[in-house]
Amino acid sequence: MGMRGTSSSTVRVWDAPVRIFHWLLALSFAGAWLTAESERWHLLHITLGYTAGGLVLFRLLWGGVGSRWARFTGFVRGPGAVWAYVSGLLRAQPVHFTGHNPAGGWAVLALLTGMAATVGLGWAIEFELLPSGLDEAHEAAASVVLGVVGVHVAGVLVGSWAHRENLVRAMFTGRKRGQPEDDIGSSRPWMAALLLALVLAGWAWQWHSAPPGAMAMGLVDLVSNQDDDHDDDDD
């Protein structure tokens, strides 16, 4: 189960597709959140929302066929394991896991579920498939995701401190403390390159098919908002 991570040496744990997915999803959600209230940035908001949806679909597929620690069977455990891990943290006796710890595994599932719901509701609203009174459900789902992100970040910080291991750096390098037999071997860089190429191609297609002047309108809106902020500060 990858719990014997007492070695000081590091091994390859997070493959390149998982790392690319992680940072692209963070970028997409942050960008979509910041552009949610702007009519002029609506196209960017939609583009990033579709990107997030595609990334979630990829992660679900990669969770079945990816490398050892990317597969859901490698880190999703029952409530008992979650409670045992949290109890160990509270007693200052945390058990080290090579992949996601049990609490982190459920955070991943919550993020994927919440993101899928947010994107699905946004898509339904965009195509007017929901009653107008349910528009707020999209915003509510996004707020729930933001809350889960906050819990996830807090968990990463606590885990980094408890295990004396930089978990943020691990999501950049792919390496964590572990035994030699825990190493995944290849980081699957070809799949990461394919994923990135698909995302960039999707962005290019979306902007190529955008109405003329859509990007310029967004820039005007951004400048206008900044001017309004300056005026408010002067007042």
Side-chain angles (χ1 to χ4, degrees):
M1 300 294 286
M3 295 186 292
R4 299 166 297 154
T6 57
S7 172
S8 60
S9 62
T10 61
V11 295
R12 286 168 292 192
V13 174
W14 304 127
D15 58 37
V18 165
R19 286 176 278 147
I20 288 291
F21 156 82
H22 179 275
W23 296 116
L24 282 176
L25 187 64
L27 174 65
S28 297
F29 179 72
W33 179 271
L34 292 173
T35 56
E37 302 300 327
S38 173
E39 288 296 329
R40 294 180 183 269
W41 284 106
H42 185 67
L43 178 61
L44 179 59
H45 178 76
I46 294 299
T47 300
L48 293 175
Y50 286 160
T51 302
L55 289 169
V56 168
L57 178 60
F58 164 79
R59 188 63 184 91
L60 293 175
L61 294 173
W62 198 242
V65 301
S67 58
R68 176 181 179 183
W69 304 113
R71 293 195 294 268
F72 296 123
T73 54
F75 62 83
V76 176
R77 300 173 178 88
V82 175
W83 174 246
Y85 176 77
V86 173
S87 298
L89 281 178
L90 295 176
R91 297 193 307 269
Q93 297 176 335
V95 176
H96 182 273
F97 286 78
T98 304
H100 287 300
N101 62 61
W106 279 96
V108 171
L109 294 182
L111 282 170
L112 293 176
T113 302
M115 195 69 69
T118 302
V119 173
L121 288 167
W123 177 82
I125 291 170
E126 184 69 14
F127 287 92
E128 300 181 346
L129 300 178
L130 287 178
S132 58
L134 294 179
D135 289 359
E136 291 78 8
H138 176 60
E139 297 179 10
S143 296
V144 170
V145 171
L146 185 63
V148 175
V149 169
V151 172
H152 171 65
V153 171
V156 168
L157 295 177
V158 170
S160 295
W161 173 81
H163 299 293
R164 304 296 189 268
E165 184 176 36
N166 192 329
L167 298 179
V168 176
R169 181 174 62 193
M171 194 50 70
F172 281 103
T173 66
R175 303 187 71 89
K176 288 185 63 182
R177 243 180 27 243
Q179 301 294 328
E181 59 268 26
D182 294 330
D183 194 289
I184 61 173
S186 172
S187 290
R188 281 71 168 178
W190 58 271
M191 179 56 74
L194 177 60
L195 176 61
L196 182 59
L198 289 173
V199 168
L200 294 177
W203 288 352
W205 176 83
Q206 184 76 356
W207 289 107
H208 178 73
S209 60
M215 190 64 177
M217 290 174 62
L219 292 174
V220 169
D221 185 57
L222 178 62
V223 173
S224 176
N225 288 339
Q226 290 177 339
D227 289 341
D228 291 342
D229 291 341
H230 288 313
D231 290 341
D232 292 340
D233 291 340
D234 292 339
D235 293 341

